[in-house]
Amino acid sequence: MTRPEQQDFLHQRKQLIIAAAKVCFSRSGFHGASMADMSAESGLGAGQIYRYFSSKEILVSETVKVIAEEWRTFLEKKLSQQPEVADIIARDSAFWREWSIKDQCLLLEVYSEASRNAAVRDILAQQEQQLISALEPVFQQQNPQISAEQRFNQIHFLLLLIDGVACRTFVDNDLNQPELLRLSTILNQHLLP
C-alpha cells in the first residue's frame, strides 16, 4: 500500500469510528455510550478502535470536533441565505431540513458536555469564531449602512436565538406556536431588515 493509500485508509477508519460514535452518543450520551457500544456499531474490535483513538476522551473530543464543524458549516450556509426568523423558529421549515433530529440531539449533547468540559467549550468557541468571521462580510453586504458593532451584535443575537429558542422547539412540543410567530415577526423587523 502506498503512503497516500495508507493515509486514506486511516482517514476512512477514523471516519467510520466517528460515525459509529455519533450514533452511540446520540442514543446514550457521551457518558452513557461505552466503547463496547461503539465497537458493535462500527463492526470493529475494541482494540482496533483504540489503535486510532487511544481513549474514550480522545474519541469524544474528535467526535465533538466533527459535530461542531458540521454545525458551523450548516449555520454558515443557512444564515448566508438570509432566512426569516420564523423559519429559524419553525422546526419543520426549510431552514432545518438538512439538520436532522438526531443531529439536533447530538448538538444538545455537545452543549451539555461543554458546560462540564473546557476542551469541548474551546472546540465550540473556535468553530463559532470561524462562523462569525465568515458571516461578517455576508451581513456587511446585506446591510452596508449598519456599523461593525451592530453587525457583531446582530450575528451574536441570531446565534443566541438559534442555540436557545430554535433548539428548544425541537424538544418542547408545548410551545405556543402563534406566540412564537408573533415574536418572530417583531424580531425579523429588527434583526434581519
Side-chain angles (χ1 to χ4, degrees):
M1 195 181 294
T2 66
R3 182 140 181 95
E5 290 173 334
Q6 185 180 15
Q7 289 175 333
D8 186 49
F9 177 78
L10 292 173
H11 177 74
Q12 287 178 14
R13 277 293 169 102
K14 284 184 174 184
Q15 294 305 106
L16 172 71
I17 295 165
I18 288 172
K22 285 171 67 177
V23 170
C24 294
F25 294 148
S26 71
R27 191 171 43 226
S28 306
F30 289 124
H31 300 283
S34 69
M35 290 302 274
D37 295 333
M38 289 176 259
S39 177
E41 186 67 38
S42 68
L44 300 173
Q48 289 176 300
I49 293 174
Y50 281 115
R51 185 178 306 148
Y52 299 100
F53 301 97
S54 59
S55 70
K56 183 179 173 185
E57 289 173 3
I58 291 172
L59 180 53
V60 166
S61 178
E62 291 302 311
T63 304
V64 166
K65 286 178 186 175
V66 168
I67 295 165
E69 184 176 330
E70 290 169 350
W71 180 235
R72 176 190 51 81
T73 302
F74 170 81
L75 289 179
E76 187 176 329
K77 175 184 172 188
K78 292 298 185 170
L79 291 175
S80 295
Q81 296 171 352
Q82 297 179 291
E84 297 284 322
V85 173
D87 291 332
I88 292 171
I89 292 173
R91 88 175 81 200
D92 48 354
S93 72
F95 185 90
W96 292 105
R97 280 202 192 108
E98 297 168 35
W99 195 258
S100 70
I101 295 295
K102 179 184 84 69
D103 290 333
Q104 193 66 30
C105 291
L106 264 174
L107 184 65
L108 292 174
E109 183 67 25
V110 169
Y111 285 153
S112 177
E113 186 65 18
S115 71
R116 302 182 284 273
N117 184 325
V120 171
R121 256 190 321 276
D122 291 344
I123 292 167
L124 289 174
Q126 179 187 20
Q127 289 297 321
E128 183 175 288
Q129 190 54 50
Q130 287 181 25
L131 175 62
I132 291 167
S133 295
L135 290 176
E136 165 65 25
V138 172
F139 277 59
Q140 183 177 17
Q141 185 178 15
Q142 292 170 358
N143 292 309
Q145 72 279 6
I146 66 173
S147 70
E149 182 182 3
Q150 288 172 313
R151 270 191 308 280
F152 178 83
N153 290 334
Q154 199 176 42
I155 292 167
H156 275 273
F157 189 80
L158 268 174
L159 295 178
L160 283 171
L161 177 68
I162 289 168
D163 288 346
V165 176
C167 290
R168 184 84 183 146
T169 65
F170 280 88
V171 296
D172 192 344
N173 293 325
D174 297 331
L175 291 174
N176 182 329
Q177 294 303 315
E179 181 62 8
L180 281 177
L181 183 58
R182 184 186 75 77
L183 291 172
S184 71
T185 302
I186 294 167
L187 288 172
N188 206 63
Q189 292 170 348
H190 298 286
L191 200 57
L192 299 167

